[in-house]
Amino acid sequence: EQGLQLLELGGGVEEDYIRIARCFEATRQRCCRLEQDGRRAREQLARVEAERAALEVKLKHARNQVEVEMKKRHRAEAELEKQERKLQLVLELLMREPWGNETLSREQCSVLSALTGRRLGAALAPVGRSSAVDESCQSLLSHSDISYDRTEDDVVRS
């Protein structure tokens, strides 16, 4: 189109041909640059897709690990509650029996009475317990509130 406009404007035919040749060369160079850009974009897309696939595998493994750990935690919490109930019964028995009070020292009786008045897990927990998570306060989201819905991960691929 530009070549036709150049011809209509007049001037020497040779000058017009030179201008047309320059336009063609500029267009050819632009096409080469666009082709290189497209090649680079396809290569980058392939790298990103490979990285995404690797991350999806890691995510799947992490989800499975979280699920396993949550099951372990639930089992451990159930076992802890079971043991606390047993200990609570033993403590109550010791406090009620007359021979228990005679056998135990005053200090032991006061410790036992303190233990019967509160939740045993908190009373018997080691003071220097090291934990990455502070479990003394209840979180805004407990572990049971976490949703592992996988529908958010579905990506529409075109």
Side-chain angles (χ1 to χ4, degrees):
E1 211 176 31
Q2 289 178 342
L4 292 176
Q5 289 176 352
L6 288 174
L7 288 175
E8 292 175 359
L9 293 176
V13 173
E14 289 179 15
E15 290 175 12
D16 292 340
Y17 282 127
I18 291 173
R19 285 187 200 135
I20 291 171
R22 286 183 184 151
C23 285
F24 281 135
E25 180 60 21
T27 303
R28 186 190 68 76
Q29 289 177 358
R30 184 171 177 240
C31 285
C32 287
R33 280 193 308 273
L34 290 174
E35 186 178 315
Q36 289 173 351
D37 290 346
R39 191 177 312 117
R40 276 187 241 121
R42 284 188 296 277
E43 290 170 358
Q44 184 179 9
L45 177 63
R47 284 191 305 271
V48 168
E49 284 180 344
E51 183 180 345
R52 180 190 52 80
L55 289 173
E56 282 181 354
V57 169
K58 285 183 179 181
L59 178 62
K60 181 179 177 182
H61 291 306
R63 279 191 174 133
N64 290 338
Q65 188 64 33
V66 166
E67 189 174 327
V68 166
E69 294 300 322
M70 285 179 64
K71 286 179 184 177
K72 286 181 184 178
R73 180 178 178 160
H74 289 300
R75 283 192 298 268
E77 287 174 349
E79 181 63 24
L80 175 66
E81 288 176 13
K82 182 179 167 184
Q83 296 300 324
E84 284 179 343
R85 283 191 300 271
K86 285 181 182 179
L87 186 57
Q88 182 71 34
L89 291 173
V90 169
L91 291 174
E92 287 174 4
L93 179 65
L94 285 174
M95 295 303 288
R96 286 188 196 140
E97 293 297 325
W99 57 263
N101 286 334
E102 293 171 4
T103 309
L104 301 174
S105 69
R106 286 184 183 177
E107 184 180 334
Q108 290 171 331
C109 286
S110 67
V111 169
L112 289 176
S113 63
L115 287 177
T116 57
R118 27 177 152 146
R119 186 170 182 261
L120 291 175
L124 296 177
V127 177
R129 179 179 174 189
S130 63
S131 174
V133 178
D134 182 12
E135 294 179 354
S136 62
C137 298
Q138 194 170 18
S139 172
L140 294 175
L141 289 174
S142 73
H143 65 278
S144 60
D145 294 336
I146 298 173
S147 171
Y148 295 98
D149 186 8
R150 295 171 191 242
T151 57
E152 295 172 358
D153 297 335
D154 294 338
V155 178
V156 177
R157 296 185 179 129
S158 52

